[in-house]
Amino acid sequence: MLSSECASSADGHTQHELDDHPTPVDAGAPFNRLDADVILRTSDNVDYRFYKFLLSLASPFFMNMFALPQPGPLEESADEIKCGLPIIPISERSVVIQKLLSFCSPVYDTDVPFLEDLDIVMAVLDAADKYDMKRVGKFIVKMITAPRFLEQEPMRVFAIACRYRAEQETMLAARYMLRYAIWEPAYVVELDYISGGDYHRLVKYHSQCGQAMSLLTRLWPTYPLPLLDCKLCRKKGLSRIPLKEYQDSVIDALRVRPCAESLLSAEWIESMSRKAGSCVTCRERIPRKMEEYVRELAIPVNEIVSEIQLQIDFR
């Protein structure tokens, strides 16, 4: 059991309570083990028991620190001691250091931490960068292309991946950005950490993908608009649109947002329905028919985009 000096725990405390707690408290499991040989004390006064060996493996920063001669507990130069363990004060908050240490722990000791949002991602990445935990940083960057991040904040994902020169993740985010007109995403603070040249190359990539959509004109006979054969209005739905008007509409939409998903927007489908003079029955069937059509058209669209290179130097 822990002594009374070491018995307090961060379990059950809210972050606000920890901020106002004048006395350090121990972190919960697995960062309260008795066989630990060092304590990391966060800026909000939570003590994390951990292992010098694991910290040294993950971080040259800590490896060099622990390689220095350590003063004895009775020497005036000794750092603060708690339960016989040296205490290392760090400037990060508990919520950050808990996740950072989890990435340094054996898989049987703790699960891979859940990163709730890109704010905590950036905080943990900054800490990993500060302590020179390169492998941890690379692992975290691979997690930012999860759909919950990419679908909500693709520009932030792009900027974070680009900042850490993660080629695959940067490319995935750039491809996802094709779902938006280049002027649509708002400014994000992460853009301040990449160069103007990197952002310019993203804009150029988006523009080149849009311009390349004109190559679809040679494929129109293979991808005609779907027939509806509506018995109510005796029209053939979208296929009534004059060929040139149809071609121009598709190309115009893809130039602005050069991905097949742009043809599934409710606004674009409704505009095509109006151009076709579709009746109520037609309009109810058009979204499903268009989804089937776009799945087929996505093949050549993706092939065209795959030929365009994002010209960022990732070395």
Side-chain angles (χ1 to χ4, degrees):
M1 295 179 60
L2 296 177
S3 67
S4 58
E5 177 189 359
C6 309
S8 60
S9 171
D11 289 347
H13 290 269
T14 66
Q15 192 64 52
H16 178 70
E17 289 171 335
L18 292 175
D19 291 343
D20 296 336
H21 209 299
T23 304
V25 296
D26 289 329
F31 303 110
N32 58 355
R33 295 181 56 149
L34 296 180
D35 57 348
D37 55 5
V38 69
I39 293 174
L40 301 182
R41 177 167 292 170
T42 64
S43 61
D44 48 356
N45 276 334
V46 182
D47 288 345
Y48 282 81
R49 293 166 173 261
F50 209 60
Y51 306 91
K52 293 180 180 179
F53 176 68
L54 291 179
L55 285 172
S56 297
L57 285 179
S59 164
F61 175 93
F62 284 110
M63 180 178 65
N64 294 332
M65 175 188 293
F66 298 141
L68 295 173
Q70 303 296 310
L74 299 181
E75 297 181 33
E76 292 183 2
S77 59
D79 292 329
E80 188 176 353
I81 301 293
K82 176 179 177 180
C83 301
L85 301 182
I87 296 174
I88 301 176
I90 54 178
S91 60
E92 288 74 27
R93 292 165 59 84
S94 173
V95 66
V96 175
I97 222 62
Q98 179 179 4
K99 295 180 186 300
L100 184 68
L101 292 180
S102 295
F103 283 110
C104 303
S105 299
V107 293
Y108 55 81
D109 203 20
T110 180
D111 294 330
V112 174
F114 177 73
L115 301 176
E116 295 88 348
D117 53 49
L118 289 178
D119 290 334
I120 193 67
V121 167
M122 281 304 303
V124 179
L125 276 175
D126 285 343
D129 193 44
K130 172 182 175 181
Y131 298 117
D132 200 17
M133 297 181 176
K134 290 185 172 60
R135 291 181 64 87
V136 172
K138 289 180 180 179
F139 188 81
I140 296 173
V141 169
K142 290 182 183 299
M143 298 173 68
I144 65 175
T145 54
R148 59 196 173 91
F149 296 143
L150 202 53
E151 292 173 3
Q152 296 296 320
E153 300 177 285
M155 180 62 85
R156 292 187 73 187
V157 173
F158 171 82
I160 294 170
C162 187
R163 174 186 179 185
Y164 288 95
R165 312 322 272 180
E167 183 172 1
Q168 183 177 357
E169 289 71 28
T170 303
M171 193 65 227
L172 282 172
R175 284 286 296 267
Y176 204 91
M177 290 286 292
L178 299 179
R179 301 185 181 204
Y180 301 85
I182 194 61
W183 61 83
E184 287 180 329
Y187 162 81
V188 294
V189 69
E190 287 78 11
L191 288 173
D192 291 340
Y193 296 100
I194 65 174
S195 70
D198 288 339
Y199 181 73
H200 171 77
R201 292 178 182 95
L202 172 65
V203 173
K204 183 178 179 181
Y205 168 76
H206 194 291
S207 176
Q208 289 177 327
C209 289
Q211 293 171 7
M213 289 300 112
S214 60
L215 296 174
L216 286 174
T217 55
R218 63 191 180 189
L219 301 176
W220 293 135
T222 310
Y223 297 95
L225 273 170
L227 298 175
L228 292 180
D229 295 325
C230 179
K231 295 180 180 179
L232 179 62
C233 64
R234 299 186 180 279
K235 298 174 182 176
K236 293 187 177 181
L238 294 176
S239 60
R240 290 187 65 252
I241 300 175
L243 180 60
K244 181 65 166 60
E245 189 174 351
Y246 151 60
Q247 294 173 349
D248 289 345
S249 297
V250 172
I251 295 299
D252 288 346
L254 291 175
R255 277 183 178 147
V256 176
R257 299 174 184 84
C259 64
E261 287 80 5
S262 64
L263 302 181
L264 290 176
S265 71
E267 180 182 358
W268 191 80
I269 291 177
E270 177 62 24
S271 70
M272 297 295 282
S273 299
R274 289 196 301 269
K275 289 179 181 179
S278 303
C279 69
V280 174
T281 303
C282 288
R283 292 190 182 190
E284 291 177 352
R285 299 169 62 196
I286 282 175
R288 180 177 60 83
K289 284 289 186 178
M290 283 300 296
E291 185 175 351
E292 296 172 358
Y293 166 70
V294 170
R295 275 201 297 267
E296 297 179 2
L297 189 62
I299 296 173
V301 168
N302 290 335
E303 289 176 350
I304 291 171
V305 170
S306 67
E307 296 296 321
I308 311 297
Q309 298 299 313
L310 176 64
Q311 298 175 343
I312 290 178
D313 186 358
F314 290 98
R315 290 176 297 177

